[in-house]
Amino acid sequence: MILVVNAGSSSIKFKLYETNDKNSPLPIVEGLAERIGVDGALTIKIEDQKYEYNDRYDNHLMTVESILKHFKELNVIKNELDIEGIGFRIVHGGDKIVKPVELTDQNKQAVEDNIKLAPLHNPGALTAINAFQKGLPKAKLVGCFDTSFHQTMPAKNYLYSVPLKWYENHKVRKYGFHGISFDYITEKASQILNKNKNDLNLVICHLGNGASMCCVKNGESYDTTMGLTPLAGLMMGTRCGDIDPSIIEYMAKELNQDVYQLTNSLNKESGLLGVSKISSDMREVSKAAIENHDEKALVALEMYTQRIAEYILKFANQLEGKVDAIVFTAGIGENSFITRKLVIDKVHLLNLKLDNETNLREYDDYLEISTNESAIKIIKIRTDEELMICKETLKFL
Ligand code: ADP
């Protein structure tokens, strides 16, 4: 079995896969441990059964021990040896890590070195890695990084037009995120379109709470919308995306706030929530806009979809118009037909034709939503980052 772990500073999300068939691992258990260090709340789901525990755990190691104890009680595993590999989702791998790696001391050091670049994410992952290493000392530990897929970007796309010394001495560059999802979607699109990955050009819109897009050229990341941090690019649930950087100095004076307070507002009080003043959740914003004709929600929805449309055009231009498909994925991309429609309505010049019926239709893992007249195929695909991590981890066993 392989355990896939997505850990933060106070939570551990996990999914356990049975891997008898290496090509299609089977998820058998999933769960979430929250409030680590506060009081502890653990949920384990097996098929439709949900088990809730209120064990007290003060740290990640106690949480891991509690998860393993309940796995045994629930007959999910007989003993620790049943879990042969653990795949960790890690946000920042910097510019050295270009693919999934075994978490040796040296690679763990790289995760630590990149804490500066991802102070909210890498520390939780590192603490969890150490805890699982102690709790399951025989398991192979593998790290999958959100940044690594983008290490193929050319310098003209990853550099900022700032003093080059900032890059040379301080690593200021575009890293990009959501790489595990973009990697999965590229693989999946290659199967759907029956086209070799090395010849595949895609524009992928990963629209979740955090949102970013990727320009995939010959199966590799050529450009992306997020930057040094996940704050750049598209408008998101609570993040601002691209803005004039001078706003920070201006608002610092207006509000008498420091740069940390302002960055916090740009991360947590902006985007759909900031503009609509209603919610960061697309379901609520689109409902307010369409059903209640709420003006602020309508503007938020227009801004949100306009920016995606413009990046589609930019990336199609970078691909010299040779785009095999435009893909929508993640919570909003997979489920919000109104977002997809508003985006495609705003893309001119490319002769896209959305099929309104398939755009609305329920689907399992993917569905083509363009008509035969569309110059480029448009597809909605359900992403599966955990499965991707599981498969990558399997390669190390
Ligand atoms: P995360 O980045 O946290 O993984 P998700 O990929 O789960 O986020 O996406 C969350 C977003 O997806 C929310 O804005 C939510 O409103 C949106 N979403 C989920 N289901 C639907 C739906 N049926 N219609 C519209 N939006 C949806």
Side-chain angles (χ1 to χ4, degrees), residues 323-341:
V323 187
D324 294 299
I326 294 165
V327 179
F328 287 93
T329 192
I332 298 170
E334 290 166 19
N335 301 306
S336 173
F337 69 93
I338 189 73
T339 302
R340 292 188 298 261
K341 173 150 176 51

Side-chain angles (χ1 to χ4, degrees), residues 120 209 230-231 234-241 243 247 251 255 257-281 285 296 300 303:
L120 299 178
N209 279 318
L231 187 54
L234 301 176
M235 178 172 170
M236 305 176 217
T238 59
R239 288 177 226 155
C240 60
I243 58 164
I247 290 174
M251 286 311 291
L255 299 177
Q257 287 188 356
D258 64 29
V259 67
Y260 303 104
Q261 289 169 298
L262 289 165
T263 306
N264 191 51
S265 296
L266 297 178
N267 268 302
K268 298 192 179 148
E269 297 166 2
S270 302
L272 287 175
L273 173 68
V275 177
S276 73
K277 290 185 163 179
I278 293 174
S279 170
S280 63
D281 190 308
V285 176
K296 287 190 275 298
M303 288 167 66

Side-chain angles (χ1 to χ4, degrees), residues 5-21:
V5 173
N6 189 349
S9 54
S10 66
S11 72
I12 298 179
K13 211 169 135 191
F14 54 90
K15 206 162 179 176
L16 187 68
Y17 288 85
E18 196 179 79
T19 59
N20 295 339
D21 177 356

Side-chain angles (χ1 to χ4, degrees), residues 57-69:
Y57 29 75
D58 295 334
N59 55 43
H60 283 64
L61 181 57
M62 286 168 79
T63 314
V64 170
E65 284 165 352
S66 159
I67 293 170
L68 294 173
K69 183 180 97 184

Side-chain angles (χ1 to χ4, degrees), residues 102-113 126 129-130 133 141:
E102 189 181 340
L103 291 165
T104 56
D105 287 347
Q106 190 187 355
N107 286 328
K108 270 169 46 182
Q109 186 59 47
V111 178
E112 185 151 9
D113 293 344
L126 202 58
I129 292 164
N130 288 327
Q133 200 161 30
L141 306 189

Side-chain angles (χ1 to χ4, degrees), residues 353-356 358 368-377:
K353 297 273 187 294
L354 187 71
D355 181 315
N356 289 319
T358 46
E368 191 175 321
I369 55 172
S370 45
T371 69
N372 290 336
E373 284 83 55
S374 185
I376 300 171
K377 284 185 196 298

Side-chain angles (χ1 to χ4, degrees), residues 47-58:
E47 288 175 0
D48 289 336
Q49 276 286 349
K50 203 165 158 188
Y51 303 88
E52 286 176 17
Y53 306 96
N54 284 311
D55 306 350
R56 195 189 156 81
Y57 29 75
D58 295 334

